[in-house]
Amino acid sequence: MSRLFGSSSGSVLGTAGSKMSSFRKVTHCIFDMDGLLLDTENLYTQVTQSIAEPYGKTYTWEIKQTIMGLQRDEAAEAIVAALELPLTPAEYVEISTERINRVMEQCQLMPGAERLVRHLHQHNVPIALATSSGADSVEVKTKNHRELFELFGHKVMGSSDPDVKEGKPAPDIFLVAADRFPDRPAPDQCLVFEDAPNGVTAAIAAGMQAVMVPDPHIEEDQRKHATVVLKSLEDFHPEQFGLPPFTS
């Protein structure tokens, strides 16, 4: 696929309904941010392509799907290498950060995100954010949604958190997030919400279940490790994991 791409939550995706009998009850929830709670992936694509275009390069989906979920410096190194850009990863980070900060204030919430986060918070289910973005990037992206993001008990921001030694697909970020809940739940008590294959791999490696809401371009073999695959957070049924059900 050589064309550019974007998320489309309206696309019909498969679900892992056959796994329903194996769902474990959980007590804590951990959320990714980009592409899962916030519709930032299209903006990232636009920024990356704006950097690549002067060099006659195209940021394709094939490249994008290998990079989703990586921490900032790892993503920069991978993009520079894949597109053969005449930039160092540090130069790419500097250029992209300035452009990302300019466009990310306009990012919107993904369908079902606010309802689910508020529902869990209202029912005293401990929730945390575990994003590969750094603290400065999270500040920009959540500027217009601060009240909602303040509902999270804590936030782990992989690109700027010294305790996250390895980025996704390593399990570090989710293990750190679980350990920072006041009651320090076991990994199997935590449910992770993710959109990216690297994130799902990280969650499963951490010993957690993973609800995946993927970009519709993600191939079936990149979804197979998820506990359940949904087209939108609007389709999540909390009671399947022993969480309080929606009442309306």
Side-chain angles (χ1 to χ4, degrees):
M1 183 183 299
S2 61
R3 63 183 176 84
L4 297 185
F5 47 86
S7 298
S8 176
S9 60
S11 297
V12 177
L13 307 180
T15 61
S18 60
K19 298 182 182 181
M20 191 173 297
S21 61
S22 65
F23 292 170
R24 298 191 307 267
K25 291 184 177 181
V26 298
T27 54
H28 298 63
C29 293
I30 303 173
F31 289 80
D32 176 47
M33 185 179 71
D34 290 293
L36 187 278
L37 295 177
L38 291 176
D39 189 6
T40 57
E41 292 300 337
N42 287 343
L43 299 175
Y44 270 119
T45 299
Q46 293 167 19
V47 166
T48 305
Q49 182 56 31
S50 74
I51 297 171
E53 196 161 2
Y55 303 107
K57 306 292 185 177
T58 301
Y59 185 47
T60 64
W61 172 250
E62 286 78 8
I63 297 172
K64 169 83 171 185
Q65 66 179 337
T66 66
I67 292 166
M68 293 173 68
L70 298 184
Q71 292 183 13
R72 183 191 64 185
D73 292 346
E74 293 173 329
E77 185 174 349
I79 289 170
V80 167
L83 294 177
E84 300 179 331
L85 298 178
L87 301 169
T88 66
E91 289 171 335
Y92 180 88
V93 167
E94 182 178 358
I95 296 169
S96 63
T97 298
E98 187 275 328
R99 297 187 187 186
I100 287 168
N101 287 345
R102 216 165 45 219
V103 303
M104 283 298 174
E105 288 186 10
Q106 62 186 279
C107 67
Q108 301 298 311
L109 292 169
M110 294 291 282
E114 182 166 10
R115 178 193 185 209
L116 178 56
V117 170
R118 290 192 183 280
H119 171 77
L120 295 174
H121 181 263
Q122 288 166 1
H123 286 82
N124 298 312
V125 176
I127 54 177
L129 193 72
T131 172
S132 295
S133 295
D136 54 346
S137 178
V138 171
E139 178 70 17
V140 171
K141 295 170 189 173
T142 62
K143 180 178 179 180
N144 293 325
H145 311 286
R146 283 180 180 166
E147 191 268 337
L148 181 68
F149 280 86
E150 285 172 358
L151 300 181
F152 289 95
H154 60 278
K155 303 178 181 71
V156 181
M157 295 164 279
S159 290
S160 57
D161 193 313
D163 289 337
V164 181
K165 306 301 184 184
E166 298 289 338
K168 303 171 187 177
D172 300 34
I173 192 167
F174 294 125
L175 293 173
V176 170
D179 194 56
R180 289 182 185 172
F181 284 114
D183 55 350
R184 301 181 69 179
D188 65 3
Q189 293 179 283
C190 300
L191 181 63
V192 171
F193 293 84
E194 263 285 355
D195 68 305
N198 283 329
V200 170
T201 299
I204 300 302
M208 303 174 184
Q209 296 176 98
V211 174
M212 187 183 196
V213 186
D215 183 291
H217 292 99
I218 291 177
E219 301 293 337
E220 287 297 325
D221 67 345
Q222 296 293 307
R223 310 177 186 187
K224 62 186 178 184
H225 298 301
T227 308
V228 63
V229 180
L230 307 175
K231 73 171 185 177
S232 166
L233 286 175
E234 293 177 314
D235 299 324
F236 179 65
H237 296 285
E239 64 273 17
Q240 292 178 350
F241 292 89
L243 298 168
F246 290 120
T247 55
S248 60

